[in-house]
Amino acid sequence: MPDLTALRAWLDAFAADVHENRDLLTRLDADIGDADHGSNLDRGMAAVLETLDAGPPDSPAALLKTTGMTLVSKVGGASGPLYGTLFLRMATAAGDADELDAATVGVLLRAGLEGVVARGKAEAGDKTMYDALEARDPGLRRRGGRRSRDGRRPGRRRAGRGRGPRRDDRDAGPQGPGVLPRRAQRRAPGPGCHVDGDAGRGRRPDAGLSMTGIVVVSHSRALADAAVALAQEMASGGEVRVEVAAGLVDGSFGTDAAAIAQAVERAADRDGAVVLMDLGSAVLSAEMALELLDPETADRVILSPAPLVEGLMLAVVAAAGGAPAARVAAEASGGLRAKQDHLGASPNAGASQPSAGEGGDATVTLELTTAHGLHARPAAKFVALAQESLEGEVESITARNATTGEGPVDADSMLGVLTLGGERGHRIEVSASGPGAEAALQRFVELNDDRFGESE
């Protein structure tokens, strides 16, 4: 009956197998991925053993949890969240048991397998780690579970997830680490069976200021820092809480779910947070990060499908204006709209419709004189002024490109203003309603007369 000692021996043996086969795993990954699976997993398991040696756990659940959390932090790409989920779900299923019989080990494996399926959306026959786990699940074998969706046992199937191509011929193509030979698959134990200290480089507002936070998740720290610096220029002096979780602690490319969770905790506060991500495995890491948070915090977080650079810029402007998380996420999600409109590839979904009609109590027409019209920086100042006006005695404020007929849109929406496509010489109509409408519109006139603070 496996106990803590047997589990540790199992992990030692698994780590040794990974180290011995790291080059093989890397070659297999080269056919359909980044050619780093072997080195990533080897690094992760070495860190697991080092962590366990430094502070030996006192129960099977503690050992499995430590293993999962270490893999989440040390293994880049999709493997970290997937293997981390496997061990963390097994830890939860282990409960407070000191020893595990064969039936309990089967329950643990089933819990881990279900976690992997939920995280990676894989199915039997996709030639992923699911197939290796399914083959080792005692409960599945007793129930006569199928080996793959087409009823065949694991063989040289074509990968169906990640960057592996999909075909009906599942016996062709790269072998994939999910269907390694049985000798390379470790049996269950027992007989018969980067956010570091300076990660939050965004500016934190005063403690009393309530604002939606933003978290940037990227494989590259340099990329994330550059995107944040660009976006913060659009905030027009507004205090926006931006946290960065990018790269691994050793400076290599990758994402760390534990670091993302820490960044979200710093950013969320009571107004919640919007998380923007770059590539596919960053999404997996962000999803897992939410599972590491307490439910109350996780419920205030929105994972945005927006493009990182454009979405971040729109999110920062919206957050600077005091928009709630849902509005910030909605603004970010339209990040490609201006580019799509310009290139004639706009989807059916348009910019948000203005909250008021086309007209208002007062209207002014601005002839744009800046060299490039309402491009990013002037648009950000335009939006900031609209947001400030709405905090006063202005009830609604909209903008319309009278030259092209585009609009109207809410003037406090960065996405909306950018979709107006305002170029030099275009006439932009700004309409406002409410007691402070005329005073607000006069400030737009002054902003335009000052060329939005830009030199010619």
Side-chain angles (χ1 to χ4, degrees):
M1 181 176 294
D3 56 8
L4 189 59
T5 302
L7 280 173
R8 174 58 197 265
W10 173 53
L11 285 175
D12 287 340
F14 174 56
D17 277 350
V18 169
H19 184 72
E20 180 182 349
N21 291 281
R22 60 174 288 169
D23 292 339
L24 171 61
L25 291 169
T26 295
R27 288 198 303 273
L28 293 173
D29 188 39
D31 288 331
I32 56 174
D34 294 331
D36 61 358
H37 182 59
S39 57
N40 273 345
L41 193 55
D42 185 38
R43 179 180 64 241
M45 286 309 300
V48 166
L49 299 188
E50 181 179 348
T51 302
L52 295 176
D53 287 340
D58 58 4
S59 69
L63 181 145
L64 293 167
K65 181 177 180 180
T66 298
T67 300
M69 290 302 297
T70 304
L71 291 174
V72 166
S73 298
K74 299 298 183 181
V75 179
S79 297
L82 290 171
Y83 277 96
T85 296
L86 169 68
F87 283 99
L88 290 173
R89 294 291 180 90
M90 290 175 70
T92 300
D96 57 3
D98 293 325
E99 294 185 339
L100 309 172
D101 58 23
T104 305
V105 170
V107 171
L108 265 61
L109 288 174
R110 167 52 52 182
L113 177 58
E114 289 175 350
V116 169
V117 171
R119 177 72 58 230
K121 309 299 188 292
E123 300 181 43
D126 277 338
K127 204 167 64 173
T128 67
M129 61 188 292
Y130 177 102
D131 294 301
L133 291 170
E134 182 197 38
R136 290 299 179 183
D137 183 347
L140 263 185
R141 288 202 301 273
R142 284 197 300 271
R143 293 191 299 270
R146 60 198 177 108
R147 299 295 190 186
S148 69
R149 285 176 296 188
D150 57 12
R152 285 181 278 176
R153 298 177 62 86
R156 292 184 55 80
R157 294 188 299 253
R158 177 166 294 278
R161 298 293 296 176
R163 277 167 292 206
R166 289 179 178 269
R167 280 191 200 167
D168 291 336
D169 179 11
R170 307 184 72 81
D171 288 329
Q175 178 181 348
V179 285
L180 283 173
R182 291 292 181 89
R183 66 180 181 274
Q185 297 179 11
R186 177 57 53 184
R187 295 170 60 200
C193 2
H194 202 258
V195 179
D196 48 19
D198 68 340
R201 296 187 181 177
R203 296 164 292 175
R204 179 172 290 280
D206 295 336
L209 183 60
S210 177
M211 182 179 291
T212 299
I214 297 172
V215 177
V216 177
V217 178
S218 173
H219 286 68
S220 166
R221 182 66 195 224
L223 172 62
D225 285 344
V228 170
L230 175 64
Q232 285 181 331
E233 285 196 19
M234 304 297 110
S236 296
E239 291 290 334
V240 182
R241 188 170 56 250
V242 181
E243 298 288 344
V244 173
L248 300 179
V249 69
D250 62 359
S252 60
F253 295 141
T255 53
D256 178 349
I260 297 169
Q262 294 169 7
V264 170
E265 286 181 328
R266 291 193 298 271
D269 287 349
R270 67 177 183 270
D271 280 355
V274 175
V275 181
L276 294 106
M277 304 144 285
D278 58 4
L279 305 176
S281 58
V283 178
L284 296 182
S285 293
E287 288 177 332
M288 185 167 189
L290 296 190
E291 293 188 9
L292 302 178
L293 298 170
D294 65 86
E296 183 179 350
T297 301
D299 286 344
R300 300 198 303 273
V301 179
I302 298 174
L303 302 184
S304 170
L308 182 62
V309 176
E310 294 93 337
L312 177 60
M313 182 185 71
L314 296 172
V316 164
V317 172
R327 173 67 183 274
V328 172
E331 283 285 304
S333 67
L336 292 180
R337 174 69 194 279
K339 190 183 299 181
Q340 289 168 330
D341 278 352
H342 182 81
L343 297 176
S346 180
N348 292 331
S352 58
Q353 294 300 312
S355 52
E358 185 169 334
D361 292 346
T363 299
V364 296
T365 300
L366 313 175
E367 182 173 338
L368 299 178
T369 58
T370 55
H372 302 289
L374 273 180
H375 66 89
R377 289 185 182 85
K381 293 181 179 180
F382 187 98
V383 170
L385 179 54
Q387 292 170 342
E388 183 180 340
S389 301
L390 289 169
E391 292 175 358
E393 295 186 323
V394 174
E395 296 172 358
S396 68
I397 186 164
T398 62
R400 173 179 176 271
N401 190 329
T403 302
T404 66
E406 189 71 29
V409 298
D410 283 331
D412 64 332
S413 165
M414 184 71 169
L415 170 61
V417 171
L418 287 175
T419 61
L420 293 179
E423 298 179 4
R424 183 170 185 170
H426 282 189
R427 296 166 59 250
I428 303 298
E429 291 181 355
V430 185
S431 300
S433 62
E438 290 189 4
L441 293 178
Q442 179 58 36
R443 294 181 66 191
F444 277 93
V445 171
E446 294 169 357
L447 181 65
N448 185 60
D449 288 346
D450 189 44
R451 293 191 176 88
F452 295 85
E454 295 197 342
S455 59
E456 191 61 37

